[in-house]
Amino acid sequence: QVQLVESGGGLVQAGGSLRVSCAASGLTFSRYTMAWFRQAPTKEREFVARISSSGGFTYYADSVKGRFIISRDNVKNTVYLQMSSLKPEDTAVYYCAADRSPFGKDVADYAYWGQGTQVTVSS
């Protein structure tokens, strides 16, 4: 079955950087659009970034544009989110998601989800 396993979360000071990873198995990774979402306490899960199956196209939420970079390695079946200039409002559980559809930015657009990794940014 499909498994998405996030790692790399942690505690970081405001202004710092962190990279989270998501290792995929049970699917033909290179055929899937991959995305990152996040969910802060008491808030709905929100789109952060997505990357096309080939890695050639990326799309970001306005709130992270210029600070976060999504990338993927289709040999290692892994997608990454490099986060820089972190702010306390970036604190959330970060989830990776996968789907064959190329343009999704809503939770309902993604068929497969990981369990999440906590990112906490202290002020």
Side-chain angles (χ1 to χ4, degrees):
Q1 73 276 24
V2 176
Q3 282 194 312
L4 302 177
V5 180
E6 299 95 337
S7 61
L11 175 64
V12 62
Q13 287 189 330
S17 299
L18 195 66
R19 188 178 81 162
V20 292
S21 304
C22 172
S25 60
L27 74 171
T28 305
F29 184 74
S30 61
R31 294 182 181 177
Y32 281 75
T33 296
M34 300 298 296
W36 287 97
F37 286 73
R38 67 186 181 186
Q39 188 166 18
T42 74
K43 294 189 176 181
E44 293 188 350
R45 195 170 298 189
E46 66 173 1
F47 172 81
V48 174
R50 72 166 181 256
I51 187 166
S52 62
S53 56
S54 68
F57 297 96
T58 57
Y59 181 81
Y60 298 91
D62 288 343
S63 59
V64 306
K65 201 174 296 181
R67 300 188 298 120
F68 290 11
I69 298 174
I70 187 171
S71 61
R72 66 189 295 159
D73 185 330
N74 283 354
V75 174
K76 295 182 178 179
N77 289 0
T78 301
V79 61
Y80 306 96
L81 186 68
Q82 177 68 50
M83 302 180 286
S84 303
S85 302
L86 282 160
K87 305 174 182 180
E89 51 262 44
D90 294 318
T91 295
V93 177
Y94 282 71
Y95 298 90
C96 72
D99 201 85
R100 294 292 303 272
S101 174
F103 300 119
K105 60 174 184 173
D106 294 325
V107 169
D109 294 330
Y110 289 86
Y112 303 109
W113 292 85
Q115 84 290 346
T117 186
Q118 175 72 46
V119 173
T120 303
V121 184
S122 64
S123 57

